[in-house]
Amino acid sequence: QIAIGVGGAGTIMRTINGGTSWTNQSSDTTDWLFGVHFPTTSVGYAVGEGGIIFKTTDGGANWLPQTSGTINPLASVFAIDANTAYAVGVAGTILRTTNGGVLWESQTSGTFNGLYSIYGMSSTTAFIVGNGGTILRTTNGGTNWTSQTSGTVDWLQSICFLDANTGYAAGYNGTILRTTNAGTTWTPLTSGVSYELTSISFGDAST
């Protein structure tokens, strides 16, 4: 029943009762926080403006800053486990740690487009989406990132996968894309709206 929300002016909100009540946690920053992810119930990462990265090891009760090595805003973070995590942001920024954030290493994205969402499937495989219809995929832990054909130039804001093959991306102008072959091809779906879609998530194959 623990959940964490992040936002403007360094806001980190935490609930331990399924959302009945929320407590503001200290982040010691006034910068915006854009993304948060927990690979376990105790370990989590948050990212935001100015390349800031925070880590908690007690379920979000306390947060400590880490050195990212960049001043580029970071829009999204995804942790595979307590030690392995990715963070992405503007100007094609991709960072990866394999030691719990002691060291964040920059990876070559091959683009200067803004990258806004990352979804990791394993220690080796992950997907990223961004502006200009950017979709990137790695199968070797980020040593190489390969551009995939999205079929759109709209900004893509969010990506998630149901399994190793089936994934969805969403973005501007009501764009929703689906792949059923691990990103080899992406098919547009009809959303019925024309405004910006900022996030997409699935609980199971039908919901």
Side-chain angles (χ1 to χ4, degrees):
Q1 292 185 318
I2 296 176
I4 303 291
V6 299
T11 299
I12 301 178
M13 303 296 295
R14 179 176 185 250
T15 180
I16 58 173
N17 53 20
T20 301
S21 60
W22 292 81
T23 303
N24 193 10
Q25 309 296 121
S26 175
S27 67
D28 292 326
T29 184
T30 57
D31 289 327
W32 277 71
L33 298 174
F34 299 127
V36 63
H37 189 251
F38 277 71
T40 72
T41 56
S42 58
V43 175
Y45 297 86
V47 299
E49 286 183 322
I52 56 176
I53 299 178
F54 288 97
K55 181 184 180 182
T56 180
T57 57
D58 56 11
N62 296 281
W63 295 82
L64 293 175
Q66 297 191 318
T67 301
S68 69
T70 183
I71 60 172
N72 290 335
L74 298 173
S76 178
V77 61
F78 194 101
I80 306 298
D81 53 43
N83 292 314
T84 304
Y86 295 89
V88 300
V90 304
T93 301
I94 303 176
L95 306 177
R96 181 177 185 250
T97 182
T98 57
N99 53 18
V102 174
L103 177 65
W104 287 87
E105 296 182 308
S106 178
Q107 298 189 324
T108 301
S109 65
T111 181
F112 286 102
N113 286 343
L115 304 176
Y116 301 124
S117 180
I118 181 165
Y119 190 93
M121 303 169 70
S122 70
S123 61
T124 57
T125 303
F127 289 81
I128 297 170
V129 295
N131 66 13
T134 298
I135 301 179
L136 303 177
R137 179 185 186 225
T138 183
T139 57
N140 55 14
T143 300
N144 305 103
W145 288 91
T146 303
S147 178
Q148 299 192 308
T149 301
S150 66
T152 183
V153 295
D154 288 319
W155 286 30
L156 298 175
Q157 299 277 74
S158 182
I159 187 169
C160 74
F161 271 76
L162 296 173
D163 54 44
N165 293 308
T166 305
Y168 294 82
Y172 279 24
N173 296 316
T175 298
I176 299 178
L177 306 177
R178 179 177 64 190
T179 181
T180 56
N181 53 17
T184 300
T185 57
W186 291 85
T187 303
L189 302 179
T190 301
S191 68
V193 298
S194 59
Y195 41 79
E196 177 183 354
L197 302 176
T198 60
S199 184
I200 189 167
S201 180
F202 278 78
D204 54 42
S206 58
T207 306

